[in-house]
Amino acid sequence: MSALASLRLPTTVLATVEFLLAESSAVLAQRDPAGIGTGTAASTPWYVQSITAALITLVIGGLLIAIAPDGTRRQTDRALEQPGAAFVYGVGSLIAVIGIAFVLAITGIGIVLAIPLLLIFALVAVVAGEYGYLAVGRLASDSWPLALGVAIVVSALVGAVPVLGSIAGFVISSIGLGVIIIGSIE
């Protein structure tokens, strides 16, 4: 394997990780008052990100409540009782999975394991992140329909607000992921 080809492998894995684990992308470029845009070609409009985030919360959060209301209540209770610990576990698991995937990818043959690992983790992170949004909804009410409604509004706002929304979404989703990690090791 040439030196150039060996550099492409870790770069490709890192780009794949970034793509899979990214929250809603923040649009950093702003339009100037004259109306001449300086936006990037890959950015999506804020309302598309907002609607997508709301729909994901509606579908996944609604399924979590409908399929396992008691389990969802336990997970959201844990998120409300231990948000700091859940955040640390969520971020720690993200760092660990990225590190493991990177080490696997460096070996060359481990790329066969790294890509499915990242895909599975991304799926788990999306679903588990909804526990964080439902916990925010439970701050408003213990009634599931109202809590889900608040969670949908919060996720829509997170998708609509550029930089701060992405940060808030990362924190909320990390708490949801951490709750799953804490529950699995207890």
Side-chain angles (χ1 to χ4, degrees), residues 27 43-52 156 159-162:
V27 180
S43 66
T44 56
W46 65 270
Y47 55 88
V48 172
Q49 293 177 0
S50 181
I51 292 169
T52 302
V161 177

Side-chain angles (χ1 to χ4, degrees), residues 2 8 31-33 42 65 71 93 102 111 116 121 125 132 161 165 169 181:
S2 72
R8 286 186 187 160
R31 291 199 173 270
D32 67 4
I65 292 169
S93 67
F102 182 73
I111 194 80
F121 183 76
V161 177
I181 302 298

Side-chain angles (χ1 to χ4, degrees), residues 135-148:
V136 171
R138 289 222 21 236
L139 288 172
S141 173
D142 274 338
S143 165
W144 278 127
L146 187 56
L148 180 60

Side-chain angles (χ1 to χ4, degrees), residues 3-71:
L4 183 58
S6 67
L7 288 176
R8 286 186 187 160
L9 184 61
T11 305
T12 303
V13 171
L14 289 176
T16 303
V17 170
E18 182 180 343
F19 173 75
L20 291 174
L21 300 178
E23 292 287 307
S24 61
S25 61
V27 180
L28 298 176
Q30 300 292 323
R31 291 199 173 270
D32 67 4
I36 301 171
T38 57
T40 61
S43 66
T44 56
W46 65 270
Y47 55 88
V48 172
Q49 293 177 0
S50 181
I51 292 169
T52 302
L55 287 175
I56 289 171
T57 300
L58 172 66
V59 171
I60 296 174
L63 284 173
L64 288 172
I65 292 169
I67 293 172
D70 293 334

